[in-house]
Amino acid sequence: MYAIIESCGKQYKVAEGDVVFFEKLDAEEGKKVTFDKVILVSEEGKVQVGNPYVKGVKVEGKVVSHGKGKKIIVFKMKAKKNYRRKQGHRQPYTKVEITSIKTAAKKTETKAASAKAETKKVAEKVEA
């Protein structure tokens, strides 16, 4: 099972257990993050495509760490004009481990299972 999500103006293909590097997110290390802008979900060969997003599907992850990427050099030059500028840049990122992809079908299954458990408890109380 995998999903394509939209975050920070980019699209990412994620699956459960993946570690993905996003643009800097506003979340602390160890906290959960939820991505609800899911564009596509593929589950056992069944593909759901959103218009623009798939309803009822969420991708959850845990923030592992924050950091900076590899340094790049930005060099500007104009020939024969004695104009040269050298500047470095390191893009900040957030490392996220994807913990689960929750679809609408899974939600209804868990609700149905919890409803069955509650009716079982009620039935046991009535019998006792």
Side-chain angles (χ1 to χ4, degrees):
M1 172 182 222
Y2 71 90
I4 296 178
I5 62 172
E6 183 179 309
S7 178
C8 310
K10 297 181 182 178
Q11 295 177 359
Y12 299 90
K13 180 181 176 183
V14 297
E16 290 184 20
D18 283 357
V19 176
V20 184
F21 292 88
F22 289 98
E23 298 280 325
K24 178 106 172 153
L25 297 176
D26 197 26
E28 296 178 20
E29 290 184 21
K31 297 285 183 176
K32 285 179 110 177
V33 288
T34 304
F35 303 100
D36 54 354
K37 293 184 177 181
V38 179
I39 297 170
L40 179 138
V41 176
S42 174
E43 183 176 14
E44 299 171 7
K46 297 177 185 175
V47 178
Q48 288 181 298
V49 180
N51 187 13
Y53 304 116
V54 181
K55 293 181 181 177
V57 178
K58 292 186 180 182
V59 176
E60 292 184 346
K62 184 179 127 189
V63 175
V64 178
S65 65
H66 297 287
K68 288 184 179 181
K70 188 177 175 184
K71 181 174 248 186
I72 62 163
I73 304 298
V74 180
F75 188 74
K76 298 178 182 179
M77 184 189 105
K78 292 190 178 176
K80 303 176 191 171
K81 302 295 181 199
N82 198 22
Y83 174 81
R84 290 170 178 80
R85 300 289 181 267
K86 183 178 178 182
Q87 182 180 11
H89 176 75
R90 293 180 70 189
Q91 186 69 26
Y93 67 82
T94 301
K95 187 176 178 181
V96 177
E97 180 181 359
I98 304 300
T99 55
S100 66
I101 299 173
K102 295 188 176 183
T103 61
K106 282 186 179 179
K107 287 180 184 178
T108 55
E109 286 175 10
T110 55
K111 285 181 182 178
S114 63
K116 282 184 182 179
E118 287 181 28
T119 54
K120 226 180 203 182
K121 286 180 185 178
V122 171
E124 288 174 5
K125 287 181 182 179
V126 171
E127 289 175 6

